[in-house]
Amino acid sequence: MRSPRGKLVSAMPERAQAVLRLLRRYQTVAPADLPEELRREYDSLQISHLTIYLADLQQKVLVSVPDARVEAPRTVPIDGTLAGWAYRTISPRITEDTMGSGMVLWLPLLDGVERLGVVAIQAPSFDATTMEACRALVALIALIAVDKTAHSDAYTKRQRNAPMALPSEMVWAFLAPRTIGTDRFTSSAVVEPAYDLGGDAFDHATSDHMLHLGIFDSMGHDLPAGLTTSVALAACRAARRRGAGITEMVATIDQAVHEVFPERYVTAVLANMHTSTGGLEWVNCGHPAPMLLRGQEVLRGALDREAEPPLGLRDIESDLGHRVHRFQMEPGDRILLYSDGVTEARSPSGDRFGEERFTDFIIRAIAAGDPAPEALRRLLHTILDHHGGRLDDDATIVLSEWHPLPRLRAIPQT
């Protein structure tokens, strides 16, 4: 006699059963064997081929995760290709197979709102049912990729195109995903030079209708700078996760950096965005002031406040202390945090990239319809090109947008 569960599974469409079989098996599948596991289900999924592409660390190319039994690795540029178009726009694309044997569906590979890469799926045709099955399959592939990366270097090695310096390896281990978001906010970040970071880092996380933001720039561009940044990030998260307010978070970082590296310091902006109301609070410790983007312009001076001393210099007294500033955002407002390596980047002839060029690029990109992660990706590559392909100082950018469903109450500004 068949069990109720057996009846349920047998009644499912064959493609749904294939996805469930993959879900049950994936925990014991080695990352390198995933393409082969997927190939075994081609007939059930009613597709003829599937290729996973992961974005490299600098988001310049998409690198395939090949089925070693039947294909060799491939690299596809993100700019100027169909695969790259799906990645850049976070949108599906269907084209004819170049061999004339059917169609190719390009689907973005996403971890929430974080772009991991794309998946190319070949099939004779794509009706609505097939499309839905492919979306479910790609969502499962994203889950597998994230899960495997937590305890395997297989995918991480494929995403690197150069050896990574020790300070950079240490900072990347602490960094949050480049993009996070909900229906009320999106926050995206980028950092360069990816393989040779010194003391820059970013942080963003959400809890209890609050978006926590942080940007850090430690003194120097060496291993102690990376260590200082790592201590600052850890202290920030330790305080935040025990429920500390923003002033206690700042004090915790200040004390930790001073105790571990008494001759070092780190500049930082820490901010909290209330995603229900749009209330913003922040502390600036020796860092470039945050900027406010509203519509297609920068509201100059909206968030300019006198900065406090950098963190770690506890022997320096400040009359202001760590004052918390507040501002009421409007729906659609964007907060821009950055390190001075962005605006101070210079061309080989000495031309400074500058604040105006920096903000103008972001505004134009967003006005053209680029999602925030894509606008920052293109901006960072433009800064690299401006500087001859290599930065002398770290460049970090965080762009956070408040896009709530309802318009709620305001809070006073200070």
Side-chain angles (χ1 to χ4, degrees):
M1 183 174 179
R2 184 177 295 171
S3 67
R5 180 181 177 186
K7 289 181 180 180
L8 178 63
V9 171
S10 64
M12 286 184 179
E14 190 175 8
R15 281 176 288 205
Q17 293 185 47
V19 173
L20 283 176
R21 284 195 296 270
L22 288 166
L23 180 61
R24 287 195 296 266
R25 295 201 305 263
Y26 92 85
Q27 292 181 333
T28 58
V29 173
D33 295 336
L34 177 59
E36 182 181 353
E37 287 292 324
L38 291 166
R39 178 162 54 85
R40 293 175 180 173
E41 299 290 353
Y42 283 177
D43 289 343
S44 298
L45 292 165
Q46 299 178 31
I47 63 176
S48 53
H49 193 69
L50 181 149
T51 305
I52 303 168
Y53 292 89
L54 299 175
D56 78 309
L57 191 63
Q58 294 179 298
Q59 300 182 86
K60 292 182 177 180
V61 297
L62 295 164
V63 184
S64 71
V65 180
D67 183 343
R69 294 174 180 267
V70 296
E71 59 188 340
R74 294 193 299 278
T75 299
V76 178
I78 288 178
D79 292 307
T81 63
L82 289 174
W85 186 91
Y87 181 84
R88 296 192 312 271
T89 63
I90 323 177
S91 303
R93 184 71 180 265
I94 299 178
T95 61
E96 289 187 5
D97 185 359
T98 55
M99 303 300 291
S101 58
M103 309 294 289
V104 180
L105 170 64
W106 298 93
L107 283 173
L109 188 65
L110 302 173
D111 175 24
V113 293
E114 166 79 331
R115 301 182 299 181
L116 304 177
V118 298
V119 177
I121 303 174
Q122 294 170 257
S125 63
F126 290 97
D127 57 19
T129 302
T130 305
M131 286 284 290
E132 194 61 32
C134 289
R135 287 191 176 97
L137 177 63
V138 170
L140 175 57
I141 292 171
L143 172 67
I144 295 171
V146 172
D147 180 69
K148 299 299 182 185
T149 300
H151 56 81
S152 170
D153 290 338
Y155 297 151
T156 301
K157 289 193 292 186
R158 294 205 57 76
Q159 293 174 280
R160 294 187 179 183
N161 294 323
M164 183 170 286
L166 179 56
S168 191
E169 187 76 64
M170 183 166 45
V171 172
W172 274 107
F174 274 91
L175 289 181
R178 281 182 291 217
T179 302
I180 63 173
T182 69
D183 58 350
R184 296 185 177 186
F185 77 88
T186 303
S187 184
S188 191
V190 287
V191 60
E192 279 283 352
Y195 298 100
D196 192 24
L197 282 174
D200 269 22
F202 65 85
D203 197 22
H204 46 198
T206 182
S207 64
D208 301 327
H209 302 295
M210 184 84 74
L211 171 63
H212 306 281
L213 301 170
I215 188 167
F216 305 86
D217 183 0
S218 291
M219 165 190 172
H221 193 94
D222 51 13
L223 180 57
L227 287 166
T228 304
T229 299
S230 299
V231 168
L233 271 170
C236 175
R237 290 172 181 170
R240 186 180 74 216
R241 290 166 181 169
R242 67 171 179 257
I246 196 166
T247 53
E248 186 179 344
M249 290 164 58
V250 171
T252 301
I253 299 169
D254 192 24
Q255 180 177 350
V257 171
H258 182 72
E259 286 181 356
V260 179
F261 297 104
E263 304 301 321
R264 295 266 172 170
Y265 64 83
V266 56
T267 69
V269 172
L270 297 180
N272 289 333
M273 180 196 298
H274 298 259
T275 58
S276 295
T277 66
L280 178 73
E281 58 181 17
W282 77 99
V283 174
N284 184 353
C285 301
H287 203 81
M291 293 187 191
L292 181 72
L293 279 60
R294 179 170 293 167
Q296 296 185 28
E297 63 176 329
V298 179
L299 296 190
R300 301 288 178 184
L303 305 181
D304 284 355
R305 305 289 189 274
E306 186 174 352
E308 322 296 332
L311 299 173
L313 302 179
R314 292 175 58 80
D315 56 328
I316 294 181
E317 295 183 1
S318 170
D319 293 332
L320 293 176
H322 296 304
R323 184 181 178 189
V324 179
H325 308 290
R326 292 178 174 84
F327 184 86
Q328 177 59 45
M329 300 173 63
E330 295 185 3
D333 279 356
R334 298 176 176 90
I335 303 301
L336 185 61
L337 308 178
Y338 67 98
S339 63
D340 57 10
V342 174
T343 53
E344 296 300 323
R346 294 181 182 272
S347 68
S349 63
D351 179 30
R352 182 173 170 269
F353 194 78
E355 182 180 303
E356 184 174 349
R357 192 179 309 187
F358 165 46
T359 55
D360 184 63
F361 187 101
I362 292 179
I363 289 170
R364 288 178 180 273
I366 292 174
D370 280 352
E374 178 59 19
L376 294 191
R377 184 192 75 89
R378 295 203 302 113
L379 170 60
L380 208 53
H381 291 171
T382 300
I383 294 171
L384 278 167
D385 291 343
H386 178 83
H387 203 269
R390 183 175 178 82
L391 297 177
D392 294 330
D393 191 12
D394 296 352
T396 304
I397 311 168
V398 181
L399 181 62
S400 305
E401 179 181 354
W402 184 50
H403 44 74
L405 297 178
R407 181 81 174 270
L408 298 179
R409 66 184 184 278
I411 62 172
Q413 301 182 25
T414 62

